[in-house]
Amino acid sequence: MGRLDIRFVPTPKLELKKLWGQLKLDGQQYVLKRIGFMLPTLDINVQSGVMQALAHFWCPETTTFVLGGKFELTPTLEEYSIAIGKSIELDIVEPPIRVDPVVALAEFLSLTKKEIEKVLKGNCQACLISFLIECFENSSIRMRSRIFILAFFGFIIFPFRQNAIDPVIAWTVKQICGGVSFINTILAETFISLTRFKKEKYRTFRAPIELLQIWLFSHLSQFEDNMTVFEMGMTDNPILRFKQIQDQTKSLHYTQWVHLFKDPNSKIFLWQAVWFREVEARLCHGDQKPVPLMGIYGATSYQPLRVTRQFRVLQDVPPPLGPNEFQVQFEKGECYRAELRHHFEAWQKCSTQKLIWPADEPTGRMKSHFAMARYIQYHTILAKILPKIPVVTARHTRQTQIKISEEKAMKAQEKADVLAEENARLRRALKAHSSIDHVASKKRKTI
């Protein structure tokens, strides 16, 4: 049986870019005010090989990627907040528990329930891009902006199915259009999708894969200079930077990425993204307890104390792992009133903490690990929770294979040219030598 990789939903980016071009300036400004810096994700190509490889290194218990069996990295609320250009508010998106998808979409689009039922019934309870385009073309300027945001979040941020969105997303987008922060929701769905994949419950990734890819490459030293952002804004931000340099990203095969993550080189990986520098961060709630994340289809924990070096703080030994108190899968028809109350109360306790950076530049092993001596000496991850990584033989990408073949052919041609030239030289020398012998022979005969 072959390996099972995480799956990414193909998205209709060309159609969305056409809709964007049809918005008036006021409509575009309305959209940008609500989605932040994320519009360039429509031009970002997903490298499925590296992202499929990375997913295998996710550890549900630590909610981190564990590289080399020890080194932990994870997207943080603050990293995503800065990259997207939206602040982390205390108010977070309420999940669509016991929300009727038909009613939610009908109210969002100002249509009747019967009209929406007819559309969804013929498409396995999903809303097709063609229907949203039809609604867009027949709507007012203000409504067009809202429909674009619905399509953007339904396809790019919370992908559901090829060319179709989950109608319940309308409940989420309505809150986003109202100004509610969605950073927590994005990170939640990212973690939940990775955890479902690792626990072999569901393989489809339901979060913005482009953002996760940008986050990963921001932690690779190869792009340290190109990913430096001096003044964060619409014209200079990590998403736009990555769009501009994406053609320079490493061209490695899936198997090569697996081997790289298995044996990470400290010269390749960066603990801190070069564009990220905050003075405060949400690191825990209460006494070193995990931070709650509330998604659309579930909730989970987030443990930034395990990756404080990503905030430029010397990494200390993280607190012991406890039960995932926020882990819940939302099922249709269930209430989850107690779980939600606990979740929201815990989020309210996640006040920001001042980050204390080292007074002096770390040296030796502390510098390479950006960690305290006790972390380097004592930190381990239990073998029973270490991610199971597929056994693969390193291979080159097709593009690299073609390049290698072309280089081999070029070298072979160069060698053939050298041999041909040497052969011609020898022939000329032999001919010259034969001519000399012939003249000498004639002279002897004449004498």
Side-chain angles (χ1 to χ4, degrees):
M1 187 175 182
R3 69 170 197 267
L4 293 177
D5 292 328
I6 199 165
R7 294 183 299 207
F8 308 121
V9 180
T11 52
K13 293 184 176 180
L14 287 177
E15 288 86 344
L16 290 177
K17 285 194 282 187
K18 287 180 181 178
L19 294 183
W20 172 256
Q22 294 176 40
L23 289 175
K24 302 295 184 182
L25 181 60
D26 289 349
Q28 291 182 348
Q29 290 176 343
Y30 177 90
V31 171
L32 295 176
K33 186 176 180 180
R34 283 151 183 83
I35 71 171
F37 304 148
M38 293 193 296
L39 187 67
T41 55
L42 294 178
D43 293 307
I44 289 175
N45 302 316
V46 175
Q47 295 190 23
S48 58
V50 57
M51 302 316 294
Q52 286 174 338
L54 182 67
H56 285 288
F57 291 81
W58 179 253
C59 180
E61 290 77 11
T62 63
T63 58
T64 62
F65 294 105
V66 179
L67 310 178
K70 180 174 182 177
F71 305 104
E72 295 179 79
L73 285 173
T74 198
T76 68
L77 283 170
E78 284 72 21
E79 283 180 315
Y80 268 28
S81 172
I82 292 175
I84 294 172
K86 302 294 289 185
S87 62
I88 307 170
E89 306 291 344
L90 284 178
D91 291 332
I92 56 178
V93 173
E94 292 185 16
I97 296 172
R98 287 193 166 181
V99 171
D100 185 340
V102 176
V103 173
L105 188 59
E107 290 181 351
F108 188 92
L109 295 175
S110 299
L111 297 173
T112 66
K113 184 177 178 181
K114 184 175 289 187
E115 288 176 299
I116 297 300
E117 284 178 339
K118 184 178 179 181
V119 170
L120 301 185
K121 184 178 179 180
N123 299 293
C124 302
Q125 299 305 306
C127 179
L128 294 178
I129 180 67
S130 56
F131 177 71
L132 291 180
I133 291 174
E134 182 182 339
C135 291
F136 180 92
E137 293 173 345
N138 297 323
S139 296
S140 63
I141 295 175
R142 182 63 176 268
M143 180 57 78
R144 284 187 171 195
S145 301
R146 286 168 56 84
I147 292 173
F148 178 86
I149 296 173
L150 176 65
F152 187 84
F153 274 86
F155 287 111
I156 305 299
I157 308 304
F158 304 115
F160 179 65
R161 192 181 300 163
Q162 185 172 6
N163 293 325
I165 69 169
D166 184 349
V168 83
I169 291 293
W171 169 266
T172 301
V173 175
K174 180 181 179 181
Q175 297 175 69
I176 293 170
C177 287
V180 178
S181 175
F182 52 85
I183 305 299
N184 188 297
T185 311
I186 287 180
L187 203 62
E189 286 303 318
T190 300
F191 287 8
I192 290 168
S193 288
L194 291 166
T195 296
R196 286 175 181 167
F197 165 67
K198 288 303 291 185
K199 292 188 175 181
E200 299 180 354
K201 290 185 177 180
Y202 196 69
R203 289 174 55 201
T204 302
F205 192 71
R206 295 278 192 233
I209 188 61
E210 292 86 356
L211 281 178
L212 185 60
Q213 180 171 281
I214 292 167
W215 169 82
L216 173 65
F217 280 95
S218 292
H219 284 272
L220 296 180
S221 58
Q222 179 184 355
F223 309 105
E224 186 171 359
D225 294 331
N226 290 332
M227 288 301 290
T228 301
V229 178
F230 297 101
E231 188 174 350
M232 204 69 62
M234 284 293 180
T235 57
D236 194 13
N237 59 71
I239 299 176
L240 187 59
R241 284 272 178 151
F242 186 82
K243 170 192 168 182
Q244 295 166 347
I245 68 162
Q246 62 180 331
D247 293 338
Q248 303 171 30
T249 55
K250 281 181 174 293
S251 178
L252 299 179
H253 190 269
Y254 163 88
T255 57
Q256 291 177 299
W257 283 111
V258 169
H259 283 274
L260 183 62
F261 295 145
K262 278 184 178 180
D263 186 21
N265 187 326
S266 60
K267 294 182 180 179
I268 294 177
F269 287 90
L270 300 171
W271 296 123
Q272 305 92 15
V274 292
W275 46 264
F276 177 78
R277 193 175 185 87
E278 286 285 84
V279 296
E280 293 183 332
R282 287 176 172 83
L283 300 179
C284 60
H285 92 270
D287 183 21
Q288 294 190 327
K289 292 183 179 179
V291 174
L293 295 179
M294 180 79 77
I296 296 172
Y297 305 106
T300 188
S301 295
Y302 154 60
Q303 305 188 66
L305 286 175
R306 302 191 68 87
V307 292
T308 51
R309 55 181 150 196
Q310 288 180 220
F311 297 98
R312 290 185 170 82
V313 175
L314 280 179
Q315 181 69 55
D316 203 349
V317 178
L321 286 170
N324 192 333
E325 58 181 300
F326 302 115
Q327 189 75 53
V328 58
Q329 172 96 24
F330 298 149
E331 302 291 346
K332 289 183 178 179
E334 299 297 326
C335 183
Y336 302 105
R337 187 172 298 167
E339 290 89 344
L340 293 182
R341 186 185 305 113
H342 173 57
H343 195 111
F344 281 111
E345 287 176 353
W347 176 249
Q348 295 292 330
K349 295 177 183 178
C350 293
S351 57
T352 57
Q353 300 177 33
K354 187 175 181 180
L355 300 172
I356 302 175
W357 301 319
D360 301 316
E361 180 72 20
T363 58
R365 294 182 69 200
M366 290 178 66
K367 182 176 181 179
S368 62
H369 290 276
F370 214 84
M372 294 184 177
R374 58 177 174 264
Y375 175 90
I376 299 170
Q377 183 176 359
Y378 297 114
H379 176 61
T380 57
I381 298 176
L382 295 176
K384 65 180 180 181
I385 67 171
L386 282 175
K388 294 181 180 178
I389 312 301
V391 178
V392 294
T393 303
R395 294 169 52 194
H396 293 292
T397 61
R398 181 172 296 181
Q399 182 180 358
T400 304
Q401 289 175 343
I402 293 172
K403 188 176 180 180
I404 291 173
S405 298
E406 289 175 346
E407 288 176 352
K408 285 182 177 179
M410 188 178 296
K411 288 181 180 179
Q413 184 61 50
E414 289 175 354
K415 188 175 181 180
D417 291 343
V418 169
L419 290 174
E421 187 176 338
E422 179 66 14
N423 185 49
R425 187 186 66 78
L426 290 173
R427 285 179 176 275
R428 288 194 298 271
L430 181 60
K431 186 176 181 181
H433 190 269
S434 298
S435 298
I436 292 171
D437 287 346
H438 180 68
V439 171
S441 176
K442 285 184 69 177
K443 284 183 178 181
R444 286 195 296 272
K445 288 181 178 179
T446 303
I447 293 171

